[in-house]
Structures are given as structure tokens and as C-alpha cells.
Amino acid sequence: MHVVESADVPESPQRSEPVPDLVVEARPRRTADLAGLIRPSHAAKAILLVPLALIGASPWTLAEAGGIVMATIAFILASAAVYIGNDIADRHRDRHHPVKRHRPIASGRVGVLTACLCCAVLLALLGAVIAQAPGTYWPVLVYLPLNVAYSRFLKHVPLVDVGTVAVGFVLRVLQGYEVTGGPVPAWLLVTVFSMSLLLLIGKRRQELLETGAVHRPALRGYSMELTNWLLQIASVLALVSGLTYLRDEGPFGPEHGQTAMLLSTPFALFALFRYLQIQLIDGDGGDPVRVLLRDRVLVANSMLWAATLGVTLLFVHNPSLAAAVPF
């Protein structure tokens, strides 16, 4: 038997190469974790709601458009700071959740000190935006302490928890109207509030199915039967208030508001039916943002609905085009 001496074994020059590879791989992972702190997909809440104020503004001015952009950025920064604060406060509880335990702070990939630093940077940027026109950013200033109260104790109170979050969506809409200076449509606020409740109750229902009241103490005040009833009530209120807004307060005017309402009815009903189908049949309502933005049926329905109302609005502001249509 030939025994190979250690001197006979050639030294491998590749033994030290994996280290730099690991460093290269760790950098994008670190960047992804830091980006995950602010939940970029949730920026859609501000992007979709704050600019609603421009619907009734015709024609748009450069000042109004610029104000909406800054207001949207302000709410994105504020909500991102709130998300980080909530994740810091809930990190111990999140570690026992099947999905939330993978979040950067709960998993330990981002330390609490680093997260606090990121939150401070976001708040500093928000302060710089608000300093440009302090009097018009009161909805953001209300949103921040409201979410601190939510994180501390309101989220543990059944029904109050979803109502508090829904108010945050209404504040986004109010912020848009505050910077444009236009009158705030009451029925639009009711629609946003009731739609937010619908999505939030669906989220609570999904949490009951997945984890029960272990992760979220407020779930002790909910049941499957209660959430089913609440979904029905919120759906009816959202439908009625939304159609009433289009008829009475929308940008179509008193002469064409009823037409916009009639055209919107089948799209609005289908959107609600589809969401309830996803919630009650597919059991996939745990992430409302993902449902609204990634469900192809809902996205297609929304695009057709927007195109229909867009063409209607074009005819309203250009009567000569409507007269040229041969039917």
C-alpha cells in the first residue's frame, strides 16, 4: 500500500477563493435586507391614493402636480419609518409567525441599531419635505403619532385596530387635497375608508385561518363568522359610497355623473366579487397589496374600468368628440 505523504499532496490555490465570493454575495443580500425594511411594494398605497386629488383638478397646474409628487414622497417616507418602528417593536412576536419571521429584523439579518438608524434617516428626509410647506402637511403629522399609538396599544383592541389603519388611508387622500387646495369629496373619503376596512378585515380573516390569536392578540375579538359578516357590510358600503361619489361628486359633473355611475357598476361589482372569491374560496387574502397588484383578473378589470371612465371623461371635457361619434 502506498501511503501518500503530506508533501505529495499539492496545495490547492482555490482554497482561499470562496471568501471573496461570499463577500460579493453578501453585499446584494445586505442591500436587499435594508430595502426590505421599508417594504417597497407598499409604496403603492401612497402612489395610488395621494394623487386622487388630481382627478377633480382640470386642467392640472405645474404647482399642483409638483405638490402631489412631494406629498406622495412624504407619505412614502412616513409609512416606511412606521414599518421599521413596528418591526422593531414586534420583532420577538414576529419570530413565531410562519411568514413574518423571515423579515429582516425578526430574522436577525438587520440589527435593531441599524434599523433605528434607517428610521432616523427616513424621518430626517421627511422633515426636509415638510419644512417646505409645514401648514399643508398636517395629515402626515397626524399619521405618525396615530401609528405610534397603533403600535403601542391600539392594534391590540379588536375592531379599533382595523379602523385605525383605515384612517391612515384616508389621511393619504386628505394629504393630496391639502396640497392642491381643492374641496374634499365626502363620499370619496367614505369609499376609501370602507374599502380599506374590507381589505383589512380580509387580512384578519386570513390570519385567523393561518395562526389564530397566537401572533396577534386582537384576533381574540374576531371569529370566522364575524369576519364574514364584516366583509359583507364593508363591501356594501364601499360599493354604494363609490358609486354615489361618481354620481354626485366625481369629475364628470351633474350631467354625466349618472352615466359614469352606470358604466362603473358592473366593474365595481366584479371587483368586489373577485376579491371575495379570492378571500373565501382561494384563502389568499393575507397580503392585500399583493392581491390587488398581482391578481391578473383584478388588474385586467381595473384597467378596463379606468379606460372606460377615461374615455367618458374625455367626452365630457370635449363635447365635439362626443358629437362626432356616430352612435
Side-chain angles (χ1 to χ4, degrees):
M1 177 182 296
H2 176 67
V3 179
V4 180
E5 300 291 341
S6 60
D8 296 331
V9 181
E11 295 183 2
S12 175
Q14 300 178 350
R15 295 181 64 180
S16 60
E17 291 183 0
V19 175
D21 290 341
L22 291 176
V23 173
V24 172
E25 293 177 1
R27 288 175 181 172
R29 179 59 183 270
R30 179 70 169 178
T31 302
D33 287 335
L34 292 175
L37 288 175
I38 64 175
R39 305 181 199 176
S41 63
H42 287 251
K45 299 174 184 177
I47 294 173
L48 292 175
L49 292 177
V50 175
L52 286 179
L54 291 177
I55 293 178
S58 180
W60 299 348
T61 66
L62 185 60
E64 288 175 338
I68 287 294
V69 171
M70 296 307 297
T72 302
I73 293 174
F75 251 104
I76 290 175
L77 293 172
S79 59
V82 165
Y83 294 144
I84 295 176
N86 286 339
D87 285 352
I88 293 174
D90 295 342
R91 64 188 185 279
H92 300 298
R93 186 180 291 111
D94 287 347
R95 286 168 186 160
H96 301 286
H97 191 275
V99 176
K100 295 180 180 180
R101 62 192 178 97
H102 298 295
R103 288 178 175 175
I105 298 176
S107 64
R109 298 193 306 272
V110 174
V112 173
L113 184 61
T114 301
C116 289
L117 180 60
C118 291
C119 186
V121 171
L122 291 171
L123 291 175
L125 293 174
L126 175 61
V129 174
I130 294 177
Q132 298 179 9
T136 61
Y137 283 94
W138 66 263
V140 174
L141 296 177
V142 172
Y143 175 84
L144 289 173
L146 179 66
N147 276 272
V148 172
Y150 173 82
S151 181
R152 295 294 299 272
F153 59 90
L154 291 180
K155 68 179 179 182
H156 301 310
V157 183
L159 301 181
V160 175
D161 61 331
V162 293
T164 303
V165 179
V167 169
F169 288 92
V170 174
L171 288 172
R172 288 173 170 87
V173 178
L174 286 173
Q175 183 62 77
Y177 280 94
E178 187 65 26
V179 298
T180 60
V184 181
W187 281 113
L188 178 61
L189 299 184
V190 176
T191 303
V192 171
F193 184 74
S194 53
M195 276 298 302
S196 303
L197 284 179
L198 176 65
L199 298 174
L200 291 164
I201 292 166
K203 182 178 181 180
R204 294 293 183 267
R205 185 181 185 278
Q206 190 63 28
E207 290 173 340
L208 277 175
L209 288 173
E210 294 177 351
T211 62
V214 176
H215 176 74
R216 191 184 293 274
L219 291 177
R220 297 188 182 96
Y222 294 92
S223 68
M224 296 303 294
E225 182 180 6
L226 176 61
T227 55
N228 289 341
W229 275 103
L230 295 178
L231 284 175
Q232 295 178 52
I233 295 171
S235 297
V236 172
L237 180 58
L239 178 65
V240 173
S241 59
L243 294 178
T244 304
Y245 159 72
L246 289 174
R247 187 191 65 186
D248 297 341
E249 301 176 333
F252 303 93
E255 297 182 359
H256 304 281
Q258 187 169 359
T259 301
M261 181 191 70
L262 292 174
L263 291 174
S264 296
T265 297
F267 294 106
L269 280 172
F270 184 81
L272 287 173
F273 291 168
R274 174 57 180 166
Y275 175 73
L276 292 175
Q277 182 185 52
I278 294 172
Q279 182 64 234
L280 302 176
I281 304 299
D282 300 337
D284 190 23
D287 187 347
V289 174
R290 184 181 61 81
V291 170
L292 294 179
L293 297 182
R294 297 186 183 181
D295 182 75
R296 295 180 179 178
V297 177
L298 277 176
V299 171
N301 180 71
S302 299
M303 293 177 66
L304 289 173
W305 189 2
T308 300
L309 291 181
V311 171
T312 304
L313 194 61
L314 182 64
F315 286 156
V316 168
H317 291 289
N318 298 274
S320 58
L321 292 178
V325 177
F327 54 83

